[in-house]
Amino acid sequence: MDHIRQYLHRHGFEAFDPKAVLFDMDGVLYDSMPRHAIAWRESMAQFGICMTDADAFATEGARGIDTIRQMVKKQKGKDISFDEAQRMYDVKSNLFHSMGDAEIFEGVIDFMQKIRKKGMVVGVVTGSGQLPLIHRLLDDFGEFLDERHIVTAYDVEKGKPNPDPYLMGLRKCGNLQPWQGIVVENAPLGVRAGVAARCFTIAVNSGPLPDDELADADVIFYRMTELADVFEKIVD
């Protein structure tokens, strides 16, 4: 595929030899972003912070505590501690979980089955640190996903858009090199993180963002089913 050749040229790599697919969670595996947007908006209002749906989608993938500290700094002009941000994030998390479970996107299971047939590893790299969500990942995808291959907000000091989460994902999936990993993202910060880690980065634009917000990705799809259909062509 031309996208692969362009990727290799972009980073100066000689070969593309994928051994793992690293998925973001919200907006990629689960149709959860609309609920997150509501939870962000309503929880932050309790602390006098205005957070719009657009803000929620634009900051998706970042560590929640980082998003809160940035919003407080921007709107109130003050720095808050990690612990204070965590308490605010707990309010948001509790509100989100009160809404019930979001559905798995169509095509995800089919995609993971194809990954396994190729002898590749499935990993998840999320900005979340919420234990109920991590447990749900294992309940829903335990046939394909090992707990050792999950990266959460608390595995790294610098979240997305820094490369650290995906570099940790490569490490957890077998000390892989960037050209051995495929990143699947839906958000600008996550795409930037995947590209910064020098992985082949696929955007699945499952939300309301315009494509130009995801233009750093090596290729853009609009549904997980579309990506699952062409996966063999990408890896072969």
Side-chain angles (χ1 to χ4, degrees), residues 26-88:
D26 293 303
V28 173
L29 300 179
Y30 299 111
D31 189 11
S32 50
M33 279 309 299
R35 300 181 191 205
H36 276 293
I38 294 170
W40 274 119
R41 187 177 69 242
E42 294 185 359
S43 63
M44 290 303 101
Q46 297 180 32
F47 299 96
I49 298 297
C50 177
M51 190 162 182
T52 66
D53 289 0
D55 291 329
F57 278 93
T59 59
E60 193 268 309
R63 300 194 309 173
I65 53 175
D66 292 338
T67 296
I68 289 170
R69 296 179 80 180
Q70 291 168 6
M71 295 296 287
V72 171
K73 178 69 172 180
K74 179 179 179 181
Q75 296 187 25
K76 295 194 172 183
K78 66 177 184 178
D79 296 311
I80 61 173
S81 68
F82 178 96
D83 288 341
E84 187 174 355
Q86 182 66 58
R87 287 193 292 271
M88 295 170 68

Side-chain angles (χ1 to χ4, degrees), residues 53-123:
D53 289 0
D55 291 329
F57 278 93
T59 59
E60 193 268 309
R63 300 194 309 173
I65 53 175
D66 292 338
T67 296
I68 289 170
R69 296 179 80 180
Q70 291 168 6
M71 295 296 287
V72 171
K73 178 69 172 180
K74 179 179 179 181
Q75 296 187 25
K76 295 194 172 183
K78 66 177 184 178
D79 296 311
I80 61 173
S81 68
F82 178 96
D83 288 341
E84 187 174 355
Q86 182 66 58
R87 287 193 292 271
M88 295 170 68
Y89 184 57
D90 288 344
V91 174
K92 182 263 176 183
S93 299
N94 291 335
L95 183 55
F96 173 78
H97 288 296
S98 71
M99 300 179 189
D101 291 337
E103 293 183 358
I104 299 171
F105 273 116
E106 182 183 1
V108 169
I109 299 297
D110 180 38
F111 189 10
M112 288 189 178
Q113 289 173 337
K114 292 181 177 181
I115 294 169
R116 186 176 61 180
K117 287 180 181 178
K118 288 291 183 181
M120 298 170 63
V121 176
V122 172

Side-chain angles (χ1 to χ4, degrees), residues 70-196:
Q70 291 168 6
M71 295 296 287
V72 171
K73 178 69 172 180
K74 179 179 179 181
Q75 296 187 25
K76 295 194 172 183
K78 66 177 184 178
D79 296 311
I80 61 173
S81 68
F82 178 96
D83 288 341
E84 187 174 355
Q86 182 66 58
R87 287 193 292 271
M88 295 170 68
Y89 184 57
D90 288 344
V91 174
K92 182 263 176 183
S93 299
N94 291 335
L95 183 55
F96 173 78
H97 288 296
S98 71
M99 300 179 189
D101 291 337
E103 293 183 358
I104 299 171
F105 273 116
E106 182 183 1
V108 169
I109 299 297
D110 180 38
F111 189 10
M112 288 189 178
Q113 289 173 337
K114 292 181 177 181
I115 294 169
R116 186 176 61 180
K117 287 180 181 178
K118 288 291 183 181
M120 298 170 63
V121 176
V122 172
V124 173
V125 178
T126 175
S128 174
Q130 302 174 41
L131 285 178
L133 291 179
I134 306 308
H135 293 156
R136 189 186 174 197
L137 282 172
L138 296 173
D139 288 341
D140 289 340
F141 308 115
E143 181 182 356
F144 313 101
L145 179 65
D146 188 300
E147 186 173 4
R148 295 170 299 173
H149 301 149
I150 299 175
V151 177
T152 74
Y154 302 115
D155 286 314
V156 294
E157 291 186 6
K158 295 181 179 180
K160 304 171 186 179
N162 296 287
D164 305 43
Y166 282 110
L167 293 176
M168 179 62 73
L170 292 171
R171 196 172 307 134
K172 284 194 170 192
C173 288
N175 291 317
L176 302 178
Q177 297 298 318
W179 58 86
Q180 295 177 306
I182 295 174
V183 167
V184 183
E185 270 283 355
N186 71 302
L189 297 183
V191 166
R192 287 165 56 192
V195 171

